[in-house]
Amino acid sequence: MNWELVAVIGFYILSVWLILSRMYHAYLVRRFSFHLLFSAIYVVVFYAGFPFSLVLAWQFQLPLAESQGLFLSFALFLAGYFIYDTAYHWQLWQPKPISYPIALQHIAKKEAKWSACLLILLALACLGVFIYLNQGLLLFKLEKYQHIFSTIVKGVALKRFFYFMLAGLLILFLFAPSRKTWWWFGAVALSFGLLSYVAVGGTRANLALALMFFVLLGIYFQYLRLRWLALLAGLAVIVMFWLALTRYSLAVEGREMLFTFLYL
């Protein structure tokens, strides 16, 4: 028996339990908040993949990373979350900020709106330059998923700036939250996510993030019921998996389908 791996799994379970206990405490204080939302995203991003890796190693003999590296990674993830959690609650304990004159508040709102517009324009410009450098939409040019990360793709660094679109849209939405602006946020964010999906050749991150923010904002502002979260999350996983299979014509079934699903 690999006792180092057993220790890693034990520490993983402990880490997840500690974070979930903090999330449960936050849920008791307030049923839904952006603090709870961030915590949930943090757990999904840094911890949700490890069980799938274990299944791949157990059922398909796919090698895991070194136990020491995994342990150090989970320790850093846990420390990072508790630094955030401490800073968040420390800020809540501070005295209420001094109210500023209305004129200064107006200037701050104006600057925030300009910043949001600049973020959106930067994302659009980077997407346009990326399409230009690669002479078209990569979805119709690449043959394999691995080609997305190969040297034949130019301007890879530009893809990092695509996320600025969501930040800009979120700022604009929060200035005037309503059901109408929520739908506009979803329409624009999902359209941009779909365009970036086609442009980069099949990377689904922007599309998935757009859908996630649309759903979570809807729940936070009570445009959607909480029960829709699990339903739409499951549907999103299925759709993303189907997009990957369809895009690269992967004809898989049985154990191979399970392997492909876990790997993706």
Side-chain angles (χ1 to χ4, degrees):
M1 181 178 292
N2 189 341
W3 291 106
E4 290 186 353
L5 181 58
V6 172
V8 169
I9 294 174
F11 184 72
Y12 168 84
I13 295 172
L14 175 63
S15 301
V16 173
W17 178 80
L18 288 172
I19 295 177
L20 291 180
S21 64
R22 296 298 300 163
M23 291 174 60
Y24 180 69
H25 176 74
Y27 176 78
L28 293 178
V29 174
R30 186 177 181 184
R31 285 184 174 267
F32 191 84
S33 65
F34 275 103
H35 168 60
L36 188 61
L37 167 60
F38 175 84
S39 299
I41 294 173
Y42 193 94
V43 171
V44 170
V45 170
F46 292 110
Y47 289 96
F50 184 62
F52 297 110
S53 299
L54 288 177
V55 174
L56 285 170
W58 176 45
Q59 289 290 327
F60 302 98
Q61 288 71 51
L62 198 69
L64 285 170
E66 293 184 1
S67 299
Q68 185 178 0
L70 289 172
F71 186 88
L72 180 60
S73 298
F74 291 139
L76 290 174
F77 298 156
L78 183 63
Y81 179 80
F82 274 94
I83 290 172
Y84 155 76
D85 187 70
T86 302
Y88 175 82
H89 288 92
W90 178 81
Q91 183 66 28
L92 291 180
W93 296 332
Q94 297 305 303
K96 292 184 178 180
I98 301 173
S99 59
Y100 294 97
I102 296 178
L104 289 179
Q105 294 180 15
H106 177 72
I107 293 174
K109 290 181 179 180
K110 187 176 181 180
E111 289 177 345
K113 290 180 179 179
W114 274 107
S115 299
C117 293
L118 288 174
L119 289 172
I120 292 172
L121 288 175
L122 180 60
L124 290 172
C126 288
L127 179 58
V129 172
F130 181 85
I131 294 173
Y132 173 77
L133 290 176
N134 292 282
Q135 300 178 349
L137 304 174
L138 294 180
L139 186 70
F140 307 109
K141 300 174 66 175
L142 301 181
E143 297 180 357
K144 295 183 178 180
Y145 183 77
Q146 290 81 356
H147 290 169
I148 296 175
F149 311 102
S150 66
T151 55
I152 64 176
V153 178
K154 300 177 181 178
V156 175
L158 293 172
K159 295 192 293 184
R160 304 293 180 266
F161 295 95
F162 296 174
Y163 299 109
F164 286 4
M165 170 63 75
L166 285 174
L169 291 175
L170 186 60
I171 293 172
L172 293 178
F173 169 79
L174 292 176
F175 270 110
S178 67
R179 188 178 296 271
K180 182 179 179 180
T181 54
W182 174 63
W183 278 110
W184 273 109
F185 172 89
V188 176
L190 289 170
S191 298
F192 182 82
L194 184 61
L195 179 58
S196 64
Y197 171 82
V198 175
V200 303
T203 302
R204 294 145 288 165
N206 283 281
L207 192 59
L209 284 173
L211 179 61
M212 182 191 71
F213 274 105
F214 176 70
V215 172
L216 293 175
L217 286 173
I219 294 173
Y220 181 79
F221 289 97
Q222 298 182 351
Y223 306 139
L224 283 176
R225 295 185 181 275
L226 187 59
R227 63 169 178 257
W228 281 94
L229 181 60
L231 177 62
L232 292 175
L235 181 62
V237 171
I238 295 173
V239 170
M240 295 301 167
F241 180 57
W242 175 81
L243 283 174
L245 294 180
T246 304
R247 165 63 185 92
Y248 296 102
S249 303
L250 299 175
V252 293
E253 58 183 12
R255 285 175 58 85
E256 189 179 4
M257 177 175 287
L258 176 61
F259 173 82
T260 305
F261 176 77
L262 293 173
Y263 187 79
L264 291 175

